[in-house]
PDB file of all heavy atoms in Angstrom:
ATOM      1  N   PHE A1062       0.844  -1.196   0.000  1.00  0.00           N
ATOM      2  CA  PHE A1062       0.000   0.000   0.000  1.00  0.00           C
ATOM      3  C   PHE A1062       0.878   1.244   0.000  1.00  0.00           C
ATOM      4  O   PHE A1062       1.961   1.261   0.597  1.00  0.00           O
ATOM      5  CB  PHE A1062      -0.895   0.036   1.235  1.00  0.00           C
ATOM      6  CG  PHE A1062      -1.998  -1.003   1.273  1.00  0.00           C
ATOM      7  CD1 PHE A1062      -2.031  -2.068   0.376  1.00  0.00           C
ATOM      8  CD2 PHE A1062      -3.002  -0.912   2.221  1.00  0.00           C
ATOM      9  CE1 PHE A1062      -3.040  -3.010   0.415  1.00  0.00           C
ATOM     10  CE2 PHE A1062      -4.022  -1.839   2.276  1.00  0.00           C
ATOM     11  CZ  PHE A1062      -4.035  -2.895   1.375  1.00  0.00           C
ATOM     12  N   THR A1063       0.372   2.283  -0.642  1.00  0.00           N
ATOM     13  CA  THR A1063       1.057   3.571  -0.656  1.00  0.00           C
ATOM     14  C   THR A1063       0.049   4.683  -0.398  1.00  0.00           C
ATOM     15  O   THR A1063      -0.959   4.784  -1.105  1.00  0.00           O
ATOM     16  CB  THR A1063       1.760   3.819  -2.003  1.00  0.00           C
ATOM     17  OG1 THR A1063       2.681   2.756  -2.268  1.00  0.00           O
ATOM     18  CG2 THR A1063       2.517   5.143  -1.973  1.00  0.00           C
ATOM     19  N   ILE A1064       0.342   5.504   0.596  1.00  0.00           N
ATOM     20  CA  ILE A1064      -0.514   6.638   0.905  1.00  0.00           C
ATOM     21  C   ILE A1064       0.103   7.902   0.309  1.00  0.00           C
ATOM     22  O   ILE A1064       1.334   8.051   0.278  1.00  0.00           O
ATOM     23  CB  ILE A1064      -0.722   6.786   2.428  1.00  0.00           C
ATOM     24  CG1 ILE A1064      -1.837   7.774   2.740  1.00  0.00           C
ATOM     25  CG2 ILE A1064       0.577   7.147   3.128  1.00  0.00           C
ATOM     26  CD1 ILE A1064      -2.231   7.782   4.221  1.00  0.00           C
ATOM     27  N   SER A1065      -0.744   8.791  -0.179  1.00  0.00           N
ATOM     28  CA  SER A1065      -0.261  10.056  -0.731  1.00  0.00           C
ATOM     29  C   SER A1065      -1.360  11.093  -0.564  1.00  0.00           C
ATOM     30  O   SER A1065      -2.502  10.753  -0.242  1.00  0.00           O
ATOM     31  CB  SER A1065       0.120   9.899  -2.203  1.00  0.00           C
ATOM     32  OG  SER A1065      -1.014   9.523  -2.980  1.00  0.00           O
ATOM     33  N   ARG A1066      -0.995  12.339  -0.779  1.00  0.00           N
ATOM     34  CA  ARG A1066      -1.989  13.385  -0.645  1.00  0.00           C
ATOM     35  C   ARG A1066      -1.754  14.456  -1.680  1.00  0.00           C
ATOM     36  O   ARG A1066      -0.616  14.716  -2.091  1.00  0.00           O
ATOM     37  CB  ARG A1066      -2.002  13.972   0.760  1.00  0.00           C
ATOM     38  CG  ARG A1066      -0.759  14.712   1.182  1.00  0.00           C
ATOM     39  CD  ARG A1066      -0.800  15.005   2.691  1.00  0.00           C
ATOM     40  NE  ARG A1066      -1.958  15.816   3.068  1.00  0.00           N
ATOM     41  CZ  ARG A1066      -2.464  15.854   4.297  1.00  0.00           C
ATOM     42  NH1 ARG A1066      -1.926  15.124   5.262  1.00  0.00           N
ATOM     43  NH2 ARG A1066      -3.500  16.625   4.574  1.00  0.00           N
ATOM     44  N   ASP A1067      -2.845  15.099  -2.067  1.00  0.00           N
ATOM     45  CA  ASP A1067      -2.808  16.236  -2.969  1.00  0.00           C
ATOM     46  C   ASP A1067      -3.612  17.333  -2.286  1.00  0.00           C
ATOM     47  O   ASP A1067      -4.844  17.372  -2.388  1.00  0.00           O
ATOM     48  CB  ASP A1067      -3.406  15.869  -4.330  1.00  0.00           C
ATOM     49  CG  ASP A1067      -3.280  16.981  -5.349  1.00  0.00           C
ATOM     50  OD1 ASP A1067      -3.053  18.150  -4.953  1.00  0.00           O
ATOM     51  OD2 ASP A1067      -3.423  16.707  -6.544  1.00  0.00           O
ATOM     52  N   ASN A1068      -2.926  18.185  -1.559  1.00  0.00           N
ATOM     53  CA  ASN A1068      -3.636  19.205  -0.788  1.00  0.00           C
ATOM     54  C   ASN A1068      -4.382  20.189  -1.689  1.00  0.00           C
ATOM     55  O   ASN A1068      -5.394  20.762  -1.281  1.00  0.00           O
ATOM     56  CB  ASN A1068      -2.668  19.941   0.127  1.00  0.00           C
ATOM     57  CG  ASN A1068      -2.269  19.095   1.333  1.00  0.00           C
ATOM     58  OD1 ASN A1068      -2.878  18.064   1.634  1.00  0.00           O
ATOM     59  ND2 ASN A1068      -1.236  19.523   2.036  1.00  0.00           N
ATOM     60  N   ALA A1069      -3.903  20.386  -2.888  1.00  0.00           N
ATOM     61  CA  ALA A1069      -4.601  21.272  -3.823  1.00  0.00           C
ATOM     62  C   ALA A1069      -5.982  20.729  -4.175  1.00  0.00           C
ATOM     63  O   ALA A1069      -6.913  21.483  -4.455  1.00  0.00           O
ATOM     64  CB  ALA A1069      -3.773  21.459  -5.082  1.00  0.00           C
ATOM     65  N   LYS A1070      -6.098  19.382  -4.141  1.00  0.00           N
ATOM     66  CA  LYS A1070      -7.388  18.742  -4.431  1.00  0.00           C
ATOM     67  C   LYS A1070      -8.115  18.351  -3.149  1.00  0.00           C
ATOM     68  O   LYS A1070      -9.191  17.746  -3.207  1.00  0.00           O
ATOM     69  CB  LYS A1070      -7.177  17.503  -5.304  1.00  0.00           C
ATOM     70  CG  LYS A1070      -6.650  17.820  -6.692  1.00  0.00           C
ATOM     71  CD  LYS A1070      -6.551  16.559  -7.548  1.00  0.00           C
ATOM     72  CE  LYS A1070      -6.067  16.900  -8.950  1.00  0.00           C
ATOM     73  NZ  LYS A1070      -5.943  15.693  -9.797  1.00  0.00           N
ATOM     74  N   ASN A1071      -7.499  18.686  -2.005  1.00  0.00           N
ATOM     75  CA  ASN A1071      -8.113  18.363  -0.725  1.00  0.00           C
ATOM     76  C   ASN A1071      -8.416  16.871  -0.593  1.00  0.00           C
ATOM     77  O   ASN A1071      -9.451  16.479  -0.049  1.00  0.00           O
ATOM     78  CB  ASN A1071      -9.408  19.175  -0.537  1.00  0.00           C
ATOM     79  CG  ASN A1071      -9.553  19.709   0.870  1.00  0.00           C
ATOM     80  OD1 ASN A1071      -8.587  19.837   1.612  1.00  0.00           O
ATOM     81  ND2 ASN A1071     -10.777  20.022   1.245  1.00  0.00           N
ATOM     82  N   THR A1072      -7.495  16.066  -1.090  1.00  0.00           N
ATOM     83  CA  THR A1072      -7.720  14.631  -1.197  1.00  0.00           C
ATOM     84  C   THR A1072      -6.486  13.850  -0.767  1.00  0.00           C
ATOM     85  O   THR A1072      -5.354  14.263  -1.046  1.00  0.00           O
ATOM     86  CB  THR A1072      -8.101  14.255  -2.643  1.00  0.00           C
ATOM     87  OG1 THR A1072      -9.300  14.948  -3.010  1.00  0.00           O
ATOM     88  CG2 THR A1072      -8.344  12.760  -2.781  1.00  0.00           C
ATOM     89  N   VAL A1073      -6.740  12.734  -0.105  1.00  0.00           N
ATOM     90  CA  VAL A1073      -5.699  11.781   0.252  1.00  0.00           C
ATOM     91  C   VAL A1073      -6.030  10.461  -0.425  1.00  0.00           C
ATOM     92  O   VAL A1073      -7.203  10.084  -0.518  1.00  0.00           O
ATOM     93  CB  VAL A1073      -5.605  11.606   1.776  1.00  0.00           C
ATOM     94  CG1 VAL A1073      -4.643  10.490   2.147  1.00  0.00           C
ATOM     95  CG2 VAL A1073      -5.187  12.915   2.427  1.00  0.00           C
ATOM     96  N   TYR A1074      -5.003   9.768  -0.883  1.00  0.00           N
ATOM     97  CA  TYR A1074      -5.191   8.526  -1.620  1.00  0.00           C
ATOM     98  C   TYR A1074      -4.542   7.356  -0.882  1.00  0.00           C
ATOM     99  O   TYR A1074      -3.579   7.534  -0.137  1.00  0.00           O
ATOM    100  CB  TYR A1074      -4.558   8.640  -3.008  1.00  0.00           C
ATOM    101  CG  TYR A1074      -5.059   9.800  -3.820  1.00  0.00           C
ATOM    102  CD1 TYR A1074      -4.333  10.987  -3.904  1.00  0.00           C
ATOM    103  CD2 TYR A1074      -6.264   9.712  -4.507  1.00  0.00           C
ATOM    104  CE1 TYR A1074      -4.795  12.059  -4.634  1.00  0.00           C
ATOM    105  CE2 TYR A1074      -6.732  10.781  -5.259  1.00  0.00           C
ATOM    106  CZ  TYR A1074      -5.991  11.952  -5.316  1.00  0.00           C
ATOM    107  OH  TYR A1074      -6.453  13.012  -6.049  1.00  0.00           O
ATOM    108  N   LEU A1075      -5.075   6.190  -1.131  1.00  0.00           N
ATOM    109  CA  LEU A1075      -4.450   4.952  -0.669  1.00  0.00           C
ATOM    110  C   LEU A1075      -4.397   4.006  -1.861  1.00  0.00           C
ATOM    111  O   LEU A1075      -5.434   3.465  -2.276  1.00  0.00           O
ATOM    112  CB  LEU A1075      -5.220   4.322   0.487  1.00  0.00           C
ATOM    113  CG  LEU A1075      -4.546   3.100   1.110  1.00  0.00           C
ATOM    114  CD1 LEU A1075      -3.260   3.518   1.837  1.00  0.00           C
ATOM    115  CD2 LEU A1075      -5.488   2.396   2.086  1.00  0.00           C
ATOM    116  N   GLN A1076      -3.211   3.837  -2.408  1.00  0.00           N
ATOM    117  CA  GLN A1076      -3.010   2.904  -3.514  1.00  0.00           C
ATOM    118  C   GLN A1076      -2.745   1.536  -2.923  1.00  0.00           C
ATOM    119  O   GLN A1076      -1.811   1.370  -2.124  1.00  0.00           O
ATOM    120  CB  GLN A1076      -1.830   3.335  -4.384  1.00  0.00           C
ATOM    121  CG  GLN A1076      -1.497   2.381  -5.517  1.00  0.00           C
ATOM    122  CD  GLN A1076      -2.590   2.340  -6.577  1.00  0.00           C
ATOM    123  OE1 GLN A1076      -3.129   3.369  -6.966  1.00  0.00           O
ATOM    124  NE2 GLN A1076      -2.906   1.138  -7.053  1.00  0.00           N
ATOM    125  N   MET A1077      -3.566   0.568  -3.305  1.00  0.00           N
ATOM    126  CA  MET A1077      -3.454  -0.774  -2.741  1.00  0.00           C
ATOM    127  C   MET A1077      -3.137  -1.756  -3.855  1.00  0.00           C
ATOM    128  O   MET A1077      -3.926  -1.905  -4.793  1.00  0.00           O
ATOM    129  CB  MET A1077      -4.769  -1.151  -2.044  1.00  0.00           C
ATOM    130  CG  MET A1077      -5.218  -0.151  -0.999  1.00  0.00           C
ATOM    131  SD  MET A1077      -6.655  -0.699  -0.061  1.00  0.00           S
ATOM    132  CE  MET A1077      -7.875  -0.804  -1.352  1.00  0.00           C
ATOM    133  N   ASN A1078      -2.007  -2.393  -3.760  1.00  0.00           N
ATOM    134  CA  ASN A1078      -1.573  -3.374  -4.762  1.00  0.00           C
ATOM    135  C   ASN A1078      -1.474  -4.755  -4.121  1.00  0.00           C
ATOM    136  O   ASN A1078      -1.428  -4.890  -2.899  1.00  0.00           O
ATOM    137  CB  ASN A1078      -0.225  -2.966  -5.341  1.00  0.00           C
ATOM    138  CG  ASN A1078      -0.268  -1.632  -6.054  1.00  0.00           C
ATOM    139  OD1 ASN A1078      -1.293  -1.238  -6.629  1.00  0.00           O
ATOM    140  ND2 ASN A1078       0.844  -0.914  -6.025  1.00  0.00           N
ATOM    141  N   SER A1079      -1.403  -5.757  -4.975  1.00  0.00           N
ATOM    142  CA  SER A1079      -1.249  -7.149  -4.513  1.00  0.00           C
ATOM    143  C   SER A1079      -2.245  -7.482  -3.415  1.00  0.00           C
ATOM    144  O   SER A1079      -1.889  -8.041  -2.371  1.00  0.00           O
ATOM    145  CB  SER A1079       0.186  -7.378  -4.016  1.00  0.00           C
ATOM    146  OG  SER A1079       1.125  -7.085  -5.025  1.00  0.00           O
ATOM    147  N   LEU A1080      -3.486  -7.134  -3.659  1.00  0.00           N
ATOM    148  CA  LEU A1080      -4.510  -7.327  -2.633  1.00  0.00           C
ATOM    149  C   LEU A1080      -4.748  -8.797  -2.346  1.00  0.00           C
ATOM    150  O   LEU A1080      -4.686  -9.646  -3.245  1.00  0.00           O
ATOM    151  CB  LEU A1080      -5.803  -6.635  -3.059  1.00  0.00           C
ATOM    152  CG  LEU A1080      -5.776  -5.119  -2.866  1.00  0.00           C
ATOM    153  CD1 LEU A1080      -6.838  -4.432  -3.696  1.00  0.00           C
ATOM    154  CD2 LEU A1080      -5.934  -4.772  -1.398  1.00  0.00           C
ATOM    155  N   GLU A1081      -5.038  -9.062  -1.099  1.00  0.00           N
ATOM    156  CA  GLU A1081      -5.252 -10.425  -0.606  1.00  0.00           C
ATOM    157  C   GLU A1081      -6.632 -10.512   0.023  1.00  0.00           C
ATOM    158  O   GLU A1081      -7.196  -9.485   0.436  1.00  0.00           O
ATOM    159  CB  GLU A1081      -4.177 -10.753   0.442  1.00  0.00           C
ATOM    160  CG  GLU A1081      -2.751 -10.565  -0.039  1.00  0.00           C
ATOM    161  CD  GLU A1081      -1.749 -10.561   1.113  1.00  0.00           C
ATOM    162  OE1 GLU A1081      -2.179 -10.528   2.285  1.00  0.00           O
ATOM    163  OE2 GLU A1081      -0.532 -10.585   0.815  1.00  0.00           O
ATOM    164  N   PRO A1082      -7.190 -11.711   0.120  1.00  0.00           N
ATOM    165  CA  PRO A1082      -8.500 -11.841   0.777  1.00  0.00           C
ATOM    166  C   PRO A1082      -8.508 -11.251   2.182  1.00  0.00           C
ATOM    167  O   PRO A1082      -9.541 -10.743   2.628  1.00  0.00           O
ATOM    168  CB  PRO A1082      -8.721 -13.360   0.793  1.00  0.00           C
ATOM    169  CG  PRO A1082      -7.959 -13.856  -0.394  1.00  0.00           C
ATOM    170  CD  PRO A1082      -6.753 -12.988  -0.478  1.00  0.00           C
ATOM    171  N   GLU A1083      -7.377 -11.295   2.855  1.00  0.00           N
ATOM    172  CA  GLU A1083      -7.286 -10.746   4.207  1.00  0.00           C
ATOM    173  C   GLU A1083      -7.413  -9.222   4.233  1.00  0.00           C
ATOM    174  O   GLU A1083      -7.567  -8.632   5.299  1.00  0.00           O
ATOM    175  CB  GLU A1083      -5.962 -11.139   4.854  1.00  0.00           C
ATOM    176  CG  GLU A1083      -5.795 -12.636   5.136  1.00  0.00           C
ATOM    177  CD  GLU A1083      -5.574 -13.473   3.896  1.00  0.00           C
ATOM    178  OE1 GLU A1083      -5.085 -12.921   2.875  1.00  0.00           O
ATOM    179  OE2 GLU A1083      -5.874 -14.684   3.919  1.00  0.00           O
ATOM    180  N   ASP A1084      -7.333  -8.587   3.102  1.00  0.00           N
ATOM    181  CA  ASP A1084      -7.509  -7.135   3.023  1.00  0.00           C
ATOM    182  C   ASP A1084      -8.980  -6.738   2.942  1.00  0.00           C
ATOM    183  O   ASP A1084      -9.303  -5.546   2.969  1.00  0.00           O
ATOM    184  CB  ASP A1084      -6.780  -6.573   1.793  1.00  0.00           C
ATOM    185  CG  ASP A1084      -5.279  -6.762   1.875  1.00  0.00           C
ATOM    186  OD1 ASP A1084      -4.708  -6.500   2.950  1.00  0.00           O
ATOM    187  OD2 ASP A1084      -4.681  -7.173   0.858  1.00  0.00           O
ATOM    188  N   THR A1085      -9.859  -7.697   2.846  1.00  0.00           N
ATOM    189  CA  THR A1085     -11.290  -7.409   2.776  1.00  0.00           C
ATOM    190  C   THR A1085     -11.765  -6.719   4.046  1.00  0.00           C
ATOM    191  O   THR A1085     -11.549  -7.222   5.153  1.00  0.00           O
ATOM    192  CB  THR A1085     -12.090  -8.712   2.576  1.00  0.00           C
ATOM    193  OG1 THR A1085     -11.755  -9.276   1.303  1.00  0.00           O
ATOM    194  CG2 THR A1085     -13.583  -8.453   2.640  1.00  0.00           C
TER     195      THR A1085
END
């Protein structure tokens, strides 16, 4: 997972890769 933010868009993101059933 990678967290990032774009304050100009007033938004924070969470990029989730290689997802597993345990991430449900």
Side-chain angles (χ1 to χ4, degrees):
F1062 290 12
T1063 303
I1064 192 171
S1065 62
R1066 65 191 300 158
D1067 185 342
N1068 285 347
K1070 294 184 178 179
N1071 222 21
T1072 300
V1073 173
Y1074 304 99
L1075 186 68
Q1076 177 67 43
M1077 305 187 297
N1078 298 329
S1079 303
L1080 283 161
E1081 305 166 351
E1083 294 72 25
D1084 296 315
T1085 295

